[in-house]
Amino acid sequence: MKPILMMNVLQNIRILYLLLIFNPAIFTYGNDISVDVDSPNHCLAHFHFLEDDFDFCDTCGCGSSGGSMGYGTALNKNFMGLRYIGQAYRSRDGIFNNSPWINENFNTIQAWGNFPVTKRAIVNVIAPYQFHNRVFPDQTEQKISGLGDISMLAFYNLIKATPDSIISIKPEHYLQLGGGLKLPTGKYDKANNTGSVNPSFQLGNGSWDYILAMNYGFSHRNWGISTMFNYTIKTKNPKDYQFGNQFNYGINTFKTYYVSDLAFTPIIGLAGENYAANREFDMKVANTKGSIFLGKLSLETAYQNYSLGLVGMVPIDQNLNNGKVELMHRVSVYLNINL
């Protein structure tokens, strides 16, 4: 194995290891029994959740607005909060196989939330602020920052779990269908594509994109499994550039542990992303399609109406831009207030 690749693998392993040791109490103070209704965590004992906890996004900076992400967390139903997402990539500085690698970092701070509209419908809003940078082989650096693409989606519960106030020990299912828009609020600068095989070093797509989503979950007492699927249809922007449509999928398994007034939920999951080729002037752009398969480890801690989450994701297998772009790792931290 090449030394650089070995270093990347070891770095990814360290990220997951840090998440595992974040709080050893979650592995020593667990229980499988239902909590009394008067407990501060009674709504967690009847474990159900609205959206999947998939903190992943497009393999690019411009897609970090949430259009291809999970639209919530494992422990909250309705919430508002802040989330940071960091992605580390490397890409070829040129079109040749021996072109040097450059390091790229996509950083996003999101204001996000799930807001109830009716008993069965909710609206999800994600407003990102992006600040990206990349370092070229001659050690020069390029930075961009600003508002990203805002996304708004509506979800309807076809199968709805029992309300929080009712404690049930029976297995439960939920099924949601949703759809929405990703608005072109982030700036698209065509000059950022010049001399780079990664056209996604952008604040936004510059286009109106349409999102279709489905979430399915199963829970029993403290245990649960959640799955998510969504498809983003991307349109042509005013610069005659069109990012490829994107399909995302994932599965999580989790268990909640209780320690006094705190609830801890470690989550293990897998996720995948598939990208169609980009198009410019209605012609396919070479080396822009791809796929990636990821492993995920996360931990969410809840206290009263607050929840804190940590997420780490590393690639298991990837072929992005014909091997000319590589994801190193993704990390996320969020703090929410439950509504």
Side-chain angles (χ1 to χ4, degrees), residues 4 8 28 73 104 106 172 258 283:
I4 294 178
N8 293 337
T28 56
T73 67
E104 297 177 314
F106 300 121
E172 291 196 338
Y258 302 97
M283 298 180 64

Side-chain angles (χ1 to χ4, degrees), residues 172-192:
E172 291 196 338
H173 304 263
Y174 81 92
L175 176 64
Q176 298 173 322
L177 295 180
L181 295 172
K182 188 157 72 70
L183 286 63
T185 50
K187 180 182 178 182
Y188 173 83
D189 188 352
K190 191 172 183 178
N192 289 339

